Structures are given as structure tokens and as C-alpha cells.
Amino acid sequence: MKDMETDITKNTEISAVLPRGDRSDVLCGNYDSFDNLPDKAIVGTSSVRRAAFAKYHRPDLNIKLLRGNVETRIEKLNAGLYDAIILSYAGVKYLKLEDKISDIFSIEEIIPSAGQGIIAIQCRENDDEIISILDKINDIETFQ
């Protein structure tokens, strides 16, 4: 849900969400913690929020834009284009790539995006048939 548009498409609605996964961010790379990254290490992220955290806590780091899906980002890390990358724990876990995680940030270290860890389902407004199906999988606590 964190990557959805703030203004959703006209005549659509978010009709259901799955139970929220872990909303933490993670460090992937060959260093066991963010603090142990070498001076001027290249850290990849596409998130302004994560980049701001990294520069605030480690102004020496070289933050570089990192695009692509999670697997593509990890391929770029493995190719040596980055010393470390920062990703969403829920996305890494969903793809069963937890072995790539070197450190998990607490939510006090990096405040998560409001929708991070949530899979949302968007459908047409007033599509009663689809909405009634989605009601069956909607996690009301996460939805609220």
C-alpha cells in the first residue's frame, strides 16, 4: 500500500487489505549493521524517507538511487554496484529472501511509511459482487 497513489483512480476504492506484515526496513549487504558500513559506502534506495534517515545518521555515506523490483535491486547489490541497500522487510520476507538481510532497523530508527507492510486490493466502486468477495479476505483491523 505504501506505493499506491495518494489520490486513487476515479471510480475505484480500496476494498480490502490483507493482515499487515512487518513494517520495518532492512539493510541488505555484507555488513552486519548500518553503523559498520565503511566510510563513503554506497547505499541504494529509491525512498526519500530512507535516504534522509541514512544521511542524517551517516552523512559520510553515498546514497544512490536504486530502482527495480526487490529481486532486481538485490541483483544490483550482488553485482557490486552498492555496498548495501535498504528495503522493506515485508517485501523481502514475502519473496522469501530473508537470507539477504544483514540488519533490521527498529521503527524508532527509521519511521516506516504509513502503508508499509500492507497489501491492498483496489477495485471499482459499487461492484457489489467483487466487493462481497473481497470482504471475506479483508483484515478489518489493518483496514481501519
Side-chain angles (χ1 to χ4, degrees):
M1 191 167 184
K2 74 175 178 58
D3 294 324
M4 294 182 77
E5 295 291 329
T6 306
D7 294 321
I8 62 174
T9 304
K10 186 178 178 180
N11 299 321
T12 68
E13 64 181 42
I14 296 171
S15 298
V17 296
L18 300 181
R20 184 178 207 153
D22 193 307
R23 59 189 179 159
S24 303
D25 290 296
V26 297
L27 184 73
C28 298
N30 294 322
Y31 299 91
D32 64 353
S33 76
F34 185 73
D35 292 334
N36 288 339
L37 288 169
D39 286 348
K40 298 183 178 39
I42 299 171
V43 177
T45 182
S46 62
S47 165
V48 172
R49 175 182 55 83
R50 293 175 185 143
F53 157 80
K55 287 305 274 184
Y56 178 80
H57 291 284
R58 291 285 309 273
D60 62 293
L61 296 177
N62 183 5
I63 309 302
K64 290 181 72 175
L65 183 64
L66 176 61
R67 294 275 187 213
N69 62 36
V70 172
E71 291 161 325
T72 299
R73 293 174 189 207
I74 289 175
E75 285 174 12
K76 292 176 180 182
L77 172 67
N78 292 340
L81 301 175
Y82 301 88
D83 295 303
I85 60 177
I86 303 174
L87 299 171
S88 160
Y89 183 63
V92 173
K93 184 175 181 180
Y94 181 76
L95 294 170
K96 298 184 182 347
L97 296 170
E98 293 103 315
D99 62 317
K100 305 299 181 188
I101 296 172
S102 56
D103 194 15
I104 300 173
F105 296 102
S106 72
I107 61 171
E108 290 79 24
E109 289 176 298
I110 302 181
I111 297 170
S113 172
Q116 188 158 304
I118 301 172
I119 295 179
I121 303 166
Q122 183 176 351
C123 74
R124 293 183 303 269
E125 289 180 339
N126 305 317
D127 189 331
D128 295 335
E129 181 180 356
I130 296 295
I131 293 170
S132 70
I133 293 169
L134 294 176
D135 279 344
K136 295 173 184 163
I137 63 167
N138 186 39
D139 183 77
I140 195 68
E141 183 179 339
T142 302
F143 190 84
Q144 290 175 339

